[in-house]
Amino acid sequence: MQTLEEYCRRFKQADAIWPDLPMAADERQQWWERWLADRDATGCWDDLRRLLPQLLLQPGIDVRSSDAYQRLVMRGEPAQAEDLKHAPVLRDPSGITITIAQHPTGAVPVLTFRNQEDFMLAVRCLAHRCEAVPIQPTVHAQAISGLIHWGLIRELGVQARCQILLLHRSPYASLSVETIPGELPMERWLDLSQTWRLEHELTHIACRRLVGEMRINLYDEIVADAMGMTAALGYFDADLFRRGLGLSIEGVPATEARAHVYVSTLEPSQHQQAFELTLQRAGELEKLLKEQRWPGHSMALLGRLVRGQLTQPLTEAAGVELVSEA
């Protein structure tokens, strides 16, 4: 368990000078672009399973030790008729799409599911090596890296690995449409939720590339939600951020709150203080953006955010312009 001081430290490379942005497309991005150019983004499930054979295996206990896992995933052997017969079946085959999300720090392939059970299946197969782990119903996104992907391996070499985002189309953080200003139609809220969710996850990935790490803690959620909310709604609302985490106005989490996920490594006696600090920083951020003392949605905003930390107020001194954008 971490102390509050350890938990609240700055990003490892918070003061690093960033490369010129946008970054050039790497070999993996180029591979995905070529592959998708020849396919219908809504009908690629079977092709994708040949490249990521983890998706051919029904999640269970210690599946990674099975003969099928060793053949299909570890050695990249073609699937046999028996493998296909026992492969998991999507509940909504027409509700899956694959796209490439562009970002200044590099594009990322994104697999989006309309059905939550299909999303959870993919998370178990890809993020948990086919283990039947429990997944909270409030989880609607998963960033995964280091995946064995036989298309990349065969073309780019044995060390090549896949990074991919999995998204479930649903209200962001399970927030009801009534909590969003403007009396939005549900379909519009779902569209905005996907923008928010995608930008949130891309921000985590960008943090790893620019400041050395992608952490699962409360400050990182402020950073990612600031980028996601401003991309989707055009502003940052501290109260909406609080509701999304499942915290009361006093910083007390509900039983099923998302906030619990982000303090799993922190000493339990320090949880309440961390929640209260999070709400303080979120309130400061809303004020800085509303008063236009900080830049709105942009990599410049991210540059400010990654120089802060949970135990220090966000001020004008928390960051400088670190980026150039073509």
Side-chain angles (χ1 to χ4, degrees):
M1 290 287 104
Q2 293 176 302
T3 65
L4 189 65
E5 181 181 4
E6 293 167 335
Y7 178 85
C8 294
R9 66 170 176 78
R10 300 175 77 206
F11 284 101
K12 288 179 181 177
Q13 300 171 24
D15 295 319
I17 301 300
W18 291 3
D20 289 339
L21 301 176
M23 292 181 177
D26 62 15
E27 290 180 318
R28 292 186 303 177
Q29 178 181 335
Q30 294 169 2
W31 185 94
W32 278 106
E33 289 172 346
R34 291 193 300 271
W35 185 78
L36 269 177
D38 298 329
R39 284 165 180 81
D40 179 352
T42 60
C44 59
W45 180 248
D46 287 337
D47 286 346
L48 192 63
R49 295 195 303 177
R50 294 188 185 97
L51 305 170
L52 291 167
Q54 300 91 326
L55 297 170
L56 287 168
L57 299 167
Q58 186 69 49
I61 298 173
D62 201 26
V63 173
R64 75 184 75 174
S65 298
S66 68
D67 171 71
Y69 191 95
Q70 295 302 312
R71 284 188 294 103
L72 300 172
V73 180
M74 302 307 295
R75 297 197 295 272
E77 296 179 10
Q80 301 171 4
E82 196 69 11
D83 298 319
L84 297 174
K85 179 181 177 181
H86 292 99
V89 178
L90 292 176
R91 293 173 180 262
D92 183 8
S94 65
I96 175 175
T97 58
I98 185 164
T99 55
I100 297 178
Q102 301 296 326
H103 192 272
T105 60
V108 180
V110 179
L111 196 56
T112 301
F113 297 86
R114 188 165 54 197
N115 181 277
Q116 189 170 19
E117 290 297 321
D118 291 342
F119 166 76
M120 289 183 175
L121 168 68
V123 171
R124 291 186 177 105
C125 288
L126 298 179
H128 299 286
R129 298 184 184 181
C130 302
E131 294 300 304
V133 298
I135 299 173
Q136 289 187 336
T138 54
V139 173
H140 303 287
Q142 181 75 53
I144 311 170
S145 60
L147 279 173
I148 291 174
H149 180 296
W150 284 96
L152 292 174
I153 289 172
R154 291 181 181 118
E155 187 165 327
L156 304 180
V158 70
Q159 299 302 319
R161 290 295 182 269
C162 172
Q163 179 175 59
I164 196 167
L165 278 179
L166 307 181
L167 301 182
H168 172 229
R169 182 175 169 81
S170 61
Y172 186 82
S174 299
L175 290 167
S176 70
V177 68
E178 290 78 19
T179 64
I180 310 303
E183 299 183 358
L184 298 174
M186 177 54 79
E187 278 303 307
R188 178 60 177 156
W189 172 223
L190 289 174
D191 289 341
L192 293 175
S193 290
Q194 286 302 89
T195 298
W196 184 342
R197 182 172 288 120
L198 176 60
E199 191 68 24
H200 179 111
E201 297 300 327
L202 291 173
T203 297
H204 282 312
I205 293 170
C207 286
R208 183 171 58 203
R209 292 173 176 172
L210 296 172
V211 291
E213 54 190 328
M214 178 171 67
R215 307 175 302 188
I216 303 175
N217 71 22
L218 288 166
Y219 188 76
D220 289 50
E221 285 303 289
I222 293 176
V223 174
D225 256 4
M227 298 298 289
M229 197 189 304
T230 54
L233 305 180
Y235 57 84
F236 180 79
D237 183 316
D239 192 62
L240 199 55
F241 170 74
R242 173 186 66 78
R243 290 169 182 263
L245 283 178
L247 297 175
S248 71
I249 294 175
E250 294 77 22
V252 178
T255 303
E256 299 296 324
R258 271 176 63 223
H260 292 297
V261 174
Y262 307 112
V263 291
S264 61
T265 63
L266 178 63
E267 287 283 356
S269 62
Q270 304 290 312
H271 286 190
Q272 186 58 39
Q273 187 175 354
F275 294 142
E276 292 170 5
L277 288 169
T278 299
L279 298 187
Q280 290 174 25
R281 300 294 84 82
E284 293 163 4
L285 178 59
E286 178 181 336
K287 184 176 181 181
L288 285 165
L289 292 173
K290 189 174 291 185
E291 294 175 355
Q292 299 184 341
R293 293 164 60 194
W294 274 19
H297 177 72
S298 66
M299 294 302 287
L301 172 59
L302 182 59
R304 299 271 180 146
L305 289 164
V306 297
R307 293 170 67 87
Q309 61 190 103
L310 205 57
T311 47
Q312 293 184 0
L314 297 177
T315 66
E316 300 262 10
V320 296
E321 301 300 331
L322 296 173
V323 301
S324 61
E325 295 183 76

